[in-house]
Amino acid sequence: MTLPHERTRSLVQAGELLAEISKDHSLPDEIRAQAKVVLRHYPSSKEIFLIGKRDEMADDPFGPWLSSDTKS
């Protein structure tokens, strides 16, 4: 089972990976362009953490989906 802080960390790391790919000139232009397109609508780490904070404050019987940090 994936925990909220693990899910949050994965989303933040995926955004960082997309940013790295979009700037890596050793990769084909098409790959870099695709990463830029996806990254354009990808939430920033700040937005991800804000969503996590909102999730933690919600009265959801299943608990939060994301976390306000990446530590347990």
Side-chain angles (χ1 to χ4, degrees):
M1 181 170 105
T2 304
L3 298 174
H5 72 276
E6 295 169 327
R7 229 177 264 118
T8 302
R9 183 175 50 244
S10 292
L11 285 171
V12 170
Q13 289 174 339
E16 292 169 352
L17 178 61
L18 286 168
E20 287 178 31
I21 290 170
S22 72
K23 296 173 187 171
D24 187 345
H25 292 283
S26 69
L27 295 172
D29 289 342
E30 183 179 328
I31 299 295
R32 289 188 295 122
Q34 287 178 332
K36 287 178 187 176
V37 167
V38 173
L39 194 55
R40 185 177 306 133
H41 301 288
Y42 199 86
S44 69
S45 58
K46 182 177 180 179
E47 291 168 325
I48 293 169
F49 292 130
L50 284 172
I51 293 167
K53 186 151 190 86
R54 185 190 63 191
D55 282 0
E56 291 169 347
M57 294 171 60
D59 187 22
D60 188 336
F62 297 104
W65 178 253
L66 294 176
S67 175
S68 59
D69 65 44
T70 57
K71 298 171 186 78
S72 57

